[in-house]
Amino acid sequence: MTFPERFVRRMQGWLGPEAEPFLQALSGPYRTGLRVNTLKIDPEAFRSRSPFPLSPVPWCPEGFVLEDLEARPGLHPYHAAGLYYLQDPSAMAAAILLDPQPGEWVLDLAAAPGGKTTHIAARMRNTGVLVANEIQPRRASVLALNVERMGVTCALLTNETPQRLARRWEGLFDRVLVDAPCSGEGMFARDPEAIRAWSVERVRRSAGLQKAILTEAARMVRPGGWLLYATCTFAPEENEGVVDAFLRAHPEFDLVDPPRHPAFDRGRPEWIEGGDPRLVRAVRLWPHRGPGHGHFYALFRRRGEERPHRPGPESDLPGRVRRALEAFWEKTLEAPLPEDGLILRGDHVYRTPMAPALWRGLRVLRPGWWLGRARDDRFEPDHALAMALDPRRVRQVLELSLDDPRVAAYLQGHPLEGPWEEGWTLIALEGFPLGWARAERGRLKNLYPRHLRAIGWWEA
């Protein structure tokens, strides 16, 4: 793999004798990371059934590296069931360093495609409030699909600018993640376009954008709260340089020295002019020192200790919609219907984790867990509802094993022969939901979403 000559010279100047192993590691081969979704399965339980050989990611208990370079884990039914997310091991450190706690309010400011968002949700155990924002509409749609697949129910998805969010949500969050857009040097091994697009000018433009985003993000951190800045690049202008400028402009924030794994390198204040000595508290991950292709992290804490007033969401469903939802729930599920946060948006029924007064007027892609649609006097469940259910709490389930040919048939959208009792049926793979079907006249009408039907492991 050929890198831009100026990029090579820069890295040789900074890394010295480490530059050669760094460049070799960055050249690949790319090793896929796999993070187990602990909302659905324990890491060791997954490892015992994994169809792929795995080795652990040292800093992430739920993280693994695929040993088989020819494996195609994105095509496997376990992926469709949301048992794992394919994520670079370096990126898995974000949720570890941010350390979100159950019940907290957390903002992921640049969330697509959803790897860090879904990791945060799992660490929060699907409680509290998680706002996942993505400014690019197309990427926001991908974010929604991944949140859905992983069974996340505590998230509100927005499609907004940091400036508009900061004006609305001053000092609201316990923890904020800024996974900043960057020059993407850590992506070189898997994205040739990142190599072609690289230039020092792009590095400098990225640094300017990052400073602006970080400034807005800081406004949304409550006193006593935490702010994590992350990039997937090695350029000190975008890393230590941005952090140094932030510390000078925001004395109310301290740069924290987080718990360190041996593979976590320190920040490099000597790589920028007049660098603050505190920059050594930042974290650098290098492709030649551990699994993954590199990240930079800086963890801040805002001084003080003040918790904002954050009202809980109340349910506000029209009577006919409430009655239809209750009828579906009683007939289909054994779990109690949630009492808080049930709202209607258009004909969509959601359970929102945040009082609508806090987000009304913003561009909201999904205000919470999408339960389904209200159609006249009936309720039709959505795929997002299915993916977050425990099949043991569903009255009618078709349980399939991995070697059952009906798994492929279902994921391809084919009807399944019965006989079956009339009504909604959850299709499950070895105890994990795949989606809905509806029994009609003795056969199961396949309701697996059309946009998810694709080639799978059975045809690869």
Side-chain angles (χ1 to χ4, degrees):
M1 184 176 292
T2 303
F3 299 123
E5 182 179 350
R6 195 169 180 187
F7 168 77
V8 173
R9 290 202 309 269
R10 279 161 55 96
M11 298 311 301
Q12 288 172 336
W14 289 317
L15 288 177
E18 278 195 83
E20 189 59 33
F22 161 78
L23 293 169
Q24 289 179 356
L26 194 61
S27 298
Y30 178 69
R31 298 175 69 200
T32 302
L34 181 153
R35 178 177 50 78
V36 174
N37 182 10
T38 56
L39 293 176
K40 299 195 176 191
I41 188 171
D42 176 85
E44 286 308 313
F46 176 79
R47 193 173 188 180
S48 69
R49 71 168 71 204
S50 173
F52 323 108
L54 303 173
S55 61
V57 173
W59 49 81
C60 180
E62 56 269 47
F64 298 92
V65 177
L66 273 78
E67 295 296 334
D68 182 2
L69 296 179
E70 303 301 319
R72 303 179 71 183
L75 302 180
H76 198 278
Y78 286 163
H79 184 267
L83 298 195
Y84 54 81
Y85 192 101
L86 301 177
Q87 184 177 28
D88 187 89
S90 301
M92 297 178 193
I96 303 299
L97 293 169
L98 186 62
D99 194 26
Q101 299 299 304
E104 290 186 331
W105 284 43
V106 180
L107 168 64
D108 186 351
L109 193 56
K116 296 179 177 71
T117 295
T118 55
H119 196 182
I120 289 169
R123 288 263 161 169
M124 295 170 67
R125 302 176 195 162
N126 246 350
T127 64
V129 174
L130 172 58
V131 175
N133 180 69
E134 175 54 49
I135 194 171
Q136 300 292 339
R138 289 187 179 180
R139 285 173 57 81
S141 298
V142 175
L143 168 66
L145 293 177
N146 281 319
V147 165
E148 178 181 279
R149 179 175 63 87
M150 302 294 275
V152 174
T153 63
C154 65
L156 181 144
L157 277 55
T158 57
N159 174 216
E160 273 293 358
T161 65
Q163 293 83 356
R164 279 175 52 86
L165 294 182
R167 285 197 296 268
R168 191 69 173 273
W169 289 338
E170 188 92 29
L172 187 64
F173 293 95
D174 299 298
R175 300 176 197 258
V176 173
L177 169 63
V178 178
D179 185 18
C182 66
S183 59
E185 295 169 353
M187 304 282 287
F188 282 2
R190 51 182 167 146
D191 185 4
E193 179 56 34
I195 298 176
R196 288 191 290 269
W198 185 90
S199 68
V200 172
E201 290 70 25
R202 186 181 184 191
V203 167
R204 291 170 180 160
R205 288 196 305 270
S206 296
L209 177 62
Q210 291 152 0
K211 290 173 185 176
I213 293 173
L214 193 56
T215 295
E216 299 298 335
R219 295 172 57 190
M220 292 180 276
V221 180
R222 68 165 177 85
W226 302 82
L227 172 63
L228 182 65
Y229 174 71
T231 75
C232 61
T233 195
F234 309 107
E237 297 94 327
E238 300 178 70
N239 294 331
E240 288 87 354
V242 171
V243 174
D244 187 71
F246 180 82
L247 288 172
R248 296 178 192 276
H250 296 273
E252 73 276 20
F253 280 87
D254 293 313
L255 183 60
V256 176
D257 194 359
R260 289 181 178 267
H261 182 273
F264 290 0
D265 193 14
R266 64 176 178 86
R268 303 298 182 96
E270 66 272 21
W271 288 0
I272 63 170
E273 185 177 354
D276 191 315
R278 291 176 293 174
L279 292 173
V280 296
R281 299 173 187 170
V283 172
R284 278 183 172 270
L285 278 72
W286 299 98
H288 61 295
R289 293 194 183 185
H293 281 84
H295 256 63
F296 174 90
Y297 294 103
L299 180 64
F300 306 92
R301 188 168 194 188
R302 185 173 180 179
R303 295 176 183 174
E305 190 58 53
E306 182 181 330
R307 297 183 182 276
H309 173 63
R310 300 185 288 208
E314 297 180 357
S315 290
D316 184 23
L317 288 179
R320 65 174 181 82
V321 175
R322 175 83 188 203
R323 289 190 293 272
L325 176 60
E326 288 176 342
F328 163 83
W329 213 270
E330 182 177 352
K331 185 175 182 180
T332 309
L333 306 175
E334 295 179 356
L337 177 67
E339 290 299 323
D340 60 320
L342 298 175
I343 61 171
L344 185 67
R345 200 170 188 233
D347 65 350
H348 297 171
V349 179
Y350 293 92
R351 187 189 186 195
T352 183
M354 179 188 285
L358 292 175
W359 51 260
R360 194 172 287 119
L362 296 172
R363 288 193 295 269
V364 176
L365 183 64
R366 290 192 185 182
W369 184 18
W370 188 2
L371 303 183
R373 291 178 172 84
R375 299 287 178 89
D376 298 324
D377 293 327
R378 70 183 189 278
F379 173 83
E380 297 181 356
D382 189 75
H383 185 66
L385 173 59
M387 295 305 291
L389 291 175
D390 181 346
R392 294 171 296 183
R393 309 298 296 275
V394 182
R395 298 188 187 279
Q396 186 157 294
V397 179
L398 173 56
E399 185 69 65
L400 303 175
S401 61
L402 191 58
D403 58 359
D404 192 319
R406 291 177 294 180
V407 174
Y410 178 73
L411 294 176
Q412 291 174 316
H414 301 306
L416 304 178
E417 299 300 327
W420 305 100
E421 289 187 29
E422 296 293 306
W424 296 97
T425 299
L426 183 71
I427 309 300
L429 172 64
E430 299 178 353
F432 306 101
L434 285 176
W436 292 111
R438 185 172 176 83
E440 296 177 350
R441 296 185 294 277
R443 67 191 321 216
L444 283 177
K445 180 181 179 181
N446 194 321
L447 298 175
Y448 193 66
R450 292 184 181 276
H451 59 273
L452 298 179
R453 301 173 188 177
I455 185 171
W457 97 106
W458 53 87
E459 294 177 347

